[in-house]
């Protein structure tokens, strides 16, 4: 399964670890121009947009590789062979299991043992490593990356890029770039049950409440809504999409400070009226037995079994889990069931798309700038991650082997190749057997590339949700901490986040009455919430003064 968990993780644990184990920052700023002129071995003189990158001599670069259990790393994948043929580059992959990736990445960076190229890093996860000097301020070197610069300019991504900037005005992550925001996670619902009860597909969260009430009345022994994606973050997907609908995302996308465009100020998310509103909504569902109280603690298999056995009718979903998990499960147990991923429900924040156009991307070890092949490495990264040809290669593979093109230039999977159930009877698999679309490289791009493997129904979903106005908090003004501020903030963040998450569950499950919300906010203040927000405000004002 190729899960696209769009998270802007704070990486608090990684931050604490990096601060504890961090490397000593370089004493003097180096001159990027000198580094470039001294380390051009293997690079191309005429590299540019539309030019196939190929190193002038065989080179090898080390790379951290997120090893997904559904398509485990193979050294003999066609991906690696063809990549070497096209670019003259071999990758020395340091494989780390998906389950341990963030922790191992943090340990390796902090110990100075990280490979040169560190992909699969979500925006804000780089924050933890800036002060140590362990990762490169990549914004100093983007002139080496013509495809990256071209897409940032053509797609007007400057405001998104600004959200990555640190206190020095630089940024340290090369993000994946989308032309348009892509929103994936939503709810899947048994539409055959809706038809039986003569109900419309819900469009708002209030509509969903009405639907769940009707389902419960018709099936008193069922919790209509039983959810998944709780490990390691309770309510990971649901708190994100529901919280977004109210203006204060939780779960996977929880951030302490959120931007309120209407007031022009940051607010503390976990203490806000917006956050309280969706907590109250879920409490109502649980109290009225419309939602399984185990929804926020059970594992994915337990949630899937309840859906497959007709013990629930609604569950969080994305495009791939709908096709790869839920429908095959139901086909075995309730063959006539019909399950559909419905457009993102609308809440108090209005008809919004809560996604950024930035995707997980690449950090680069600061050691790379001293490598004689540094320029060639930056050109290689630019081609693979940001050129149209590199993105096509990473996703589709090799024309004539894994895909074909018709007379109009439209891509089609080869007849004997399957992915995401598009050719279920094909003997070969694009990810497992060839290594393409592998979750490390195949991110971002034009809509036709991003949506290449979408089913017709998912394309219809995107037609509904894609054009919605981008949520205002997606592009907050920069408020980066200094090294000293980040150290202090990291100490506060851990306790605050743990307490917010703990009390959120208690309120939802009725273990703590919502009448105690004000007391809860007071408790957050005792955990330095106000001091934390003062740091954020100070950082925003300083950045605005120094960088505009």
């Amino acid at each position: 399964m190729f899960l696209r968990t769009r998270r802007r993780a704070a990486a608090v644990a990684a931050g604490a670890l990096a601060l504890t184990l961090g490397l000593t920052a370089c004493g003097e700023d180096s001159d990027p121009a000198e580094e470039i002129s001294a380390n051009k071995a293997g690079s191309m003189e005429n590299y540019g947009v539309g030019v196939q990158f190929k190193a002038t001599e065989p080179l090898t670069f080390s790379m951290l590789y997120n090893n997904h259990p559904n398509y485990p790393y193979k050294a003999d994948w066609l991906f690696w062979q063809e990549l070497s043929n096209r670019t003259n580059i071999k990758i020395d992959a340091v494989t780390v299991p998906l389950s341990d990736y963030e922790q191992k990445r943090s340990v390796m960076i902090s110990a100075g043992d990280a490979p040169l190229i560190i992909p699969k890093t979500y925006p804000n996860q780089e924050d933890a490593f800036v002060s140590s000097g362990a990762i490169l301020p990549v914004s100093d070197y983007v002139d080496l990356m013509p495809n990256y610069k071209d897409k940032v300019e053509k797609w007007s991504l400057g405001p998104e890029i600004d959200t990555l900037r640190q206190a020095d005005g630089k940024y340290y992550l090369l993000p994946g770039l989308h032309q348009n925001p892509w929103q994936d996670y939503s709810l899947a619902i048994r539409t055959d049950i809706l038809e039986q009860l003569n109900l419309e597909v819900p469009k708002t969260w209030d509509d969903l409440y009405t639907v769940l009430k009707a389902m419960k009345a018709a099936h008193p022994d069922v919790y209509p809504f039983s959810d998944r994606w709780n490990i390691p973050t309770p309510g990971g997907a649901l708190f994100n999409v529901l919280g977004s609908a109210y203006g204060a995302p939780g779960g996977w996308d929880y951030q302490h400070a959120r931007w309120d465009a209407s007031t022009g100020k940051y607010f503390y998310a976990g203490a806000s009226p917006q956050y309280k509103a969706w907590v109250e909504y879920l409490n109502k569902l649980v109290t009225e037995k419309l939602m399984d109280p185990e929804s926020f603690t059970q594992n994915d298999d337990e949630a899937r079994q309840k859906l497959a056995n007709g013990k629930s009718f609604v569950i969080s979903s994305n495009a791939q889990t709908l096709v790869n998990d839920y429908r095959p499960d139901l086909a075995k147990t309730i063959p006539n069931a019909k399950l559909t991923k419905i457009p993102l429900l609308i809440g108090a924040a209005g008809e919004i798309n809560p996604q950024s156009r930035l995707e997980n991307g690449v950090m680069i070890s600061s050691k790379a700038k001293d490598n004689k092949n540094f320029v060639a490495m930056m050109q290689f990264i630019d081609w693979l991650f940001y050129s149209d040809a590199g993105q096509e290669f990473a996703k589709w593979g090799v024309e004539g082997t894994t895909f074909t093109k018709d007379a109009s230039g439209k891509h089609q999977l080869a007849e004997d190749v399957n992915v995401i159930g598009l050719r279920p009877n094909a003997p070969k698999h694009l990810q497992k057997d060839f290594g393409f679309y592998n979750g490390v490289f195949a991110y971002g791009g034009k809509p036709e590339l991003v949506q290449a493997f979408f089913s017709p129904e998912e394309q219809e979903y995107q037609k509904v949700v894609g054009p919605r106005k981008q949520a205002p908090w997606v592009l907050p003004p920069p408020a980066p901490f200094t090294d000293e501020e980040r150290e202090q903030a990291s100490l506060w963040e851990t306790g605050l986040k743990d307490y917010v998450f703990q009390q959120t569950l208690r309120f939802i499950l009725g273990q703590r009455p919502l009448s105690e919300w004000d007391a809860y906010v007071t408790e957050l203040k005792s955990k330095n919430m106000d001091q934390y927000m003062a740091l954020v405000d100070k950082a925003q004002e300083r950045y605005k003064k120094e960088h505009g």
Side-chain angles (χ1 to χ4, degrees), residues 184-446:
D184 187 8
Y185 284 80
S186 184
L187 300 180
I189 194 165
R190 284 275 301 276
T191 51
D192 57 311
I193 302 294
L194 294 182
E195 291 167 4
Q196 292 170 15
L197 301 177
N198 197 29
L199 297 169
E200 297 290 329
V201 171
K203 294 183 179 179
T204 69
W205 288 97
D206 288 341
D207 291 345
L208 178 68
Y209 171 74
T210 301
V211 164
L212 296 175
K213 289 272 285 187
M215 287 177 164
K216 184 69 176 180
H219 301 274
D221 59 335
V222 166
Y223 285 114
F225 190 174
S226 189
D227 213 21
R228 67 176 296 179
W229 284 320
N230 299 302
I231 300 170
T233 307
L238 177 62
F239 292 179
N240 188 355
V241 297
L242 174 59
S244 294
Y246 283 85
W252 286 336
D253 199 24
Y254 181 77
Q255 295 174 54
H256 297 278
R258 283 284 175 185
W259 178 249
D260 185 341
S262 64
T263 63
K265 293 182 178 180
Y266 281 96
F267 64 91
Y268 190 80
S272 66
Q274 299 96 311
Y275 194 95
K276 181 185 179 184
W278 66 259
V279 170
E280 288 178 321
Y281 178 88
L282 288 178
N283 172 261
K284 180 170 67 171
L285 297 191
V286 171
T287 300
E288 297 184 22
K289 302 187 184 306
L290 306 179
M291 188 164 195
D292 183 358
E294 296 179 354
S295 289
F296 317 105
T297 54
Q298 67 190 350
N299 63 39
D300 289 358
D301 288 343
E302 291 169 325
R304 287 174 59 180
Q305 287 170 9
K306 290 175 182 178
L307 182 72
N309 294 330
K311 297 298 184 183
S312 70
F313 306 135
V314 180
I315 191 170
S316 288
S317 183
N318 63 22
Q320 293 196 42
T321 55
L322 179 73
V323 174
N324 292 347
D325 293 355
Y326 305 147
R327 284 179 177 164
D329 291 348
L330 283 165
K332 298 173 185 175
T333 54
I334 312 174
N336 295 325
K338 293 191 291 185
L339 192 74
T340 300
K341 192 184 90 165
I342 62 175
L344 187 68
L345 295 173
I346 299 166
E351 201 165 329
I352 57 165
N353 187 328
Q355 294 303 144
S356 167
R357 292 190 293 162
L358 301 187
E359 181 59 88
N360 75 71
V362 181
M363 292 187 295
I364 298 172
S365 169
S366 58
K367 295 181 295 186
K369 69 180 186 299
D370 300 320
N371 188 300
K372 67 177 183 178
N373 306 124
F374 175 63
V375 173
M377 189 189 80
M378 297 299 288
Q379 292 177 343
F380 167 71
I381 292 171
D382 180 67
W383 179 83
L384 179 56
F385 286 89
Y386 299 105
S387 74
D388 291 347
Q391 290 179 339
E392 177 193 73
F393 166 74
K395 187 155 194 171
W396 281 99
V398 178
E399 186 173 3
T401 301
T402 59
F403 77 96
T404 59
K405 291 182 182 178
D406 62 19
S408 67
K410 186 176 180 180
H411 295 63
Q412 296 286 342
L413 279 174
E415 293 290 337
D416 60 347
V417 177
N418 180 37
V419 72
I420 318 179
L422 294 177
R423 296 196 188 281
N425 298 318
K428 300 174 185 176
H429 196 277
L430 186 66
Q431 295 165 313
K432 297 176 183 178
D433 297 320
F434 296 101
F436 298 104
Y437 193 36
N438 59 25
V440 175
F441 308 106
Y443 282 98
K446 300 175 182 177

Side-chain angles (χ1 to χ4, degrees), residues 494-515:
T494 301
L496 283 166
K497 185 176 181 180
D498 288 348
Y499 199 71
V500 169
F501 279 32
Q502 176 194 92
Q503 297 305 308
T504 295
L505 285 182
R506 292 190 67 207
F507 282 127
I508 290 170
L509 295 172
Q511 296 168 354
R512 183 173 188 179
L514 281 157
S515 59

Side-chain angles (χ1 to χ4, degrees), residues 529-539:
M529 177 183 75
D530 289 343
Q531 292 93 321
Y532 179 84
M533 292 308 301
L535 272 189
V536 172
D537 292 339
K538 178 182 176 183

Side-chain angles (χ1 to χ4, degrees), residues 432-508:
K432 297 176 183 178
D433 297 320
F434 296 101
F436 298 104
Y437 193 36
N438 59 25
V440 175
F441 308 106
Y443 282 98
K446 300 175 182 177
E448 54 266 34
L449 179 72
V450 172
Q451 300 181 20
F453 299 145
F454 287 4
S455 65
E457 66 177 319
E458 179 62 19
Q459 292 178 13
E460 289 302 312
Y461 175 96
Q462 294 300 328
K463 287 180 183 178
V464 174
V465 178
R468 293 179 182 177
K469 184 179 179 181
Q470 198 171 31
W473 64 81
V474 172
L475 297 176
F481 294 142
T482 64
D483 295 347
E484 295 78 13
E485 288 169 345
R486 181 175 289 109
E487 184 171 3
Q488 180 60 73
S490 295
L491 296 175
W492 289 338
E493 284 172 342
T494 301
L496 283 166
K497 185 176 181 180
D498 288 348
Y499 199 71
V500 169
F501 279 32
Q502 176 194 92
Q503 297 305 308
T504 295
L505 285 182
R506 292 190 67 207
F507 282 127
I508 290 170

